[in-house]
Structures are given as C-alpha cells and as structure tokens.
Amino acid sequence: MRKKIPFVPSPHDVVEKMLSIADPKPDELLIDLGSGDGRIVVSAARDYKCKSLGVEIDDVLIDHSMRKIQRLGLKNVKIVKADLYQYDLSNADVVTLYLLPDTLKTLKPKLLNLKEGARIICHDYKIPGLEPDEFYIVKSKTTGRNHFIYLYEID
C-alpha cells in the first residue's frame, strides 16, 4: 500500500504559468495526475479549449471538481477516479504534475514512454535524474514565495 499523496493546490497564478508553458492546443489532451480540486484541468479546458482529464482518487476532491465543471458548463473536461500510478497516459499530449520527488521517481518510466512531442510540466519538483528542457521561477502573488516550473519535452 502506497502512502496517501497530500493535496496541496497550485496557486492560480502558477497554474496560469504552467498552462502558458505547456500551451495545449484544442485537439490535444492534457492529463493532470492527482488533479485535486480540478483547477488545472478546468483552466486548461476553459482557457485553451483542449480536452482535459483529471486523475484523482479522493472522492471529496472528485465531487468538488465535478460540481465546478458542471457549474461552468464545460464539456471538454472530465475527472476519473483512478490510481495515478496505474493510469494509462498513452494518449496524453500534456501531463501536469505537482507531486513529491519519490512519486515522480516511481512515475518516471511511464512518463518517459509518453508519445513523441508530449510535454510534461512539473510544479516545484524535478523528475529525479532528468534534466528539464526549460525551467521557470514564478513568484506567486497568492503565496508570496517562488514556485519552480519544469518543462520536459518527449522526443
């Protein structure tokens, strides 16, 4: 049994920067592993018109996300109840992650098998043993601290 991954929401200004770096297109699929309250998938679907999929295991967070999606009338986003370690990422064009290094290390083989051209966006933590293609620092107006964003491109 793996330990529960804590839910720590990415500040909205950090989410905006993550999505601007990923720049998902309307015909692309963005998957957020550990989607929490759905803020990344909702913003991606609303602002970039891409297909968005949140993978979450916590029923309370899933319910919260689903209510937000219904309230906004978004048709291009859904939340699935699934284990992020087991979820099939083969159709993903963009994968967003705010996960601790141990989890990223476990997911690394799966992430490296994404299709060519896929982008991985990590908030605050690098994938252990991989050098990012790009690196950004965002000083959040919400938290007042610097947040780190790492972009990995699969080629």
Side-chain angles (χ1 to χ4, degrees):
M1 183 78 175
R2 291 189 172 101
K3 65 182 180 187
K4 186 173 180 350
I5 296 171
F7 169 56
V8 180
S10 297
H12 289 289
D13 49 1
V14 174
V15 169
E16 287 174 17
K17 183 64 174 176
M18 290 171 73
L19 292 173
S20 75
I21 293 164
D23 193 25
K25 306 295 182 236
D27 63 337
E28 291 186 318
L29 172 63
L30 177 142
I31 297 178
D32 185 25
L33 290 180
S35 59
D37 65 1
R39 64 183 58 196
I40 291 176
V41 291
V42 165
S43 294
R46 183 189 60 216
D47 301 339
Y48 290 84
K49 311 298 185 227
C50 67
K51 294 171 278 191
S52 296
L53 176 71
V55 178
E56 181 56 59
I57 205 153
D58 184 303
D59 290 321
V60 173
L61 292 170
I62 292 169
D63 186 54
H64 177 84
S65 299
M66 297 302 293
R67 282 198 313 272
K68 187 186 311 184
I69 291 163
Q70 289 168 345
R71 188 175 66 246
L72 295 171
L74 296 171
K75 304 290 184 217
N76 55 337
V77 59
K78 69 179 184 176
I79 307 295
V80 295
K81 180 174 181 161
D83 180 337
L84 60 83
Y85 294 103
Q86 305 300 322
Y87 198 78
D88 177 11
L89 301 175
S90 60
N91 291 324
D93 297 289
V94 176
V95 176
T96 55
L97 307 157
Y98 189 16
L99 300 168
L100 295 170
D102 284 350
T103 304
L104 292 171
K105 183 178 181 181
T106 303
L107 290 172
K108 182 178 169 181
K110 184 179 271 222
L111 295 169
L112 290 174
N113 279 325
L114 290 170
K115 64 185 173 186
E116 187 174 328
R119 284 100 63 213
I120 302 164
I121 306 288
C122 293
H123 175 192
D124 271 348
Y125 303 102
K126 291 197 303 188
I127 298 170
L130 284 186
E131 279 306 307
D133 291 284
E134 296 177 22
F135 166 69
Y136 300 85
I137 300 173
V138 177
K139 183 165 177 101
S140 173
K141 292 176 180 69
T142 305
T143 65
R145 75 168 180 88
N146 287 336
H147 292 259
F148 305 102
I149 301 172
Y150 302 94
L151 167 69
Y152 300 88
E153 297 179 80
I154 304 298
D155 46 23

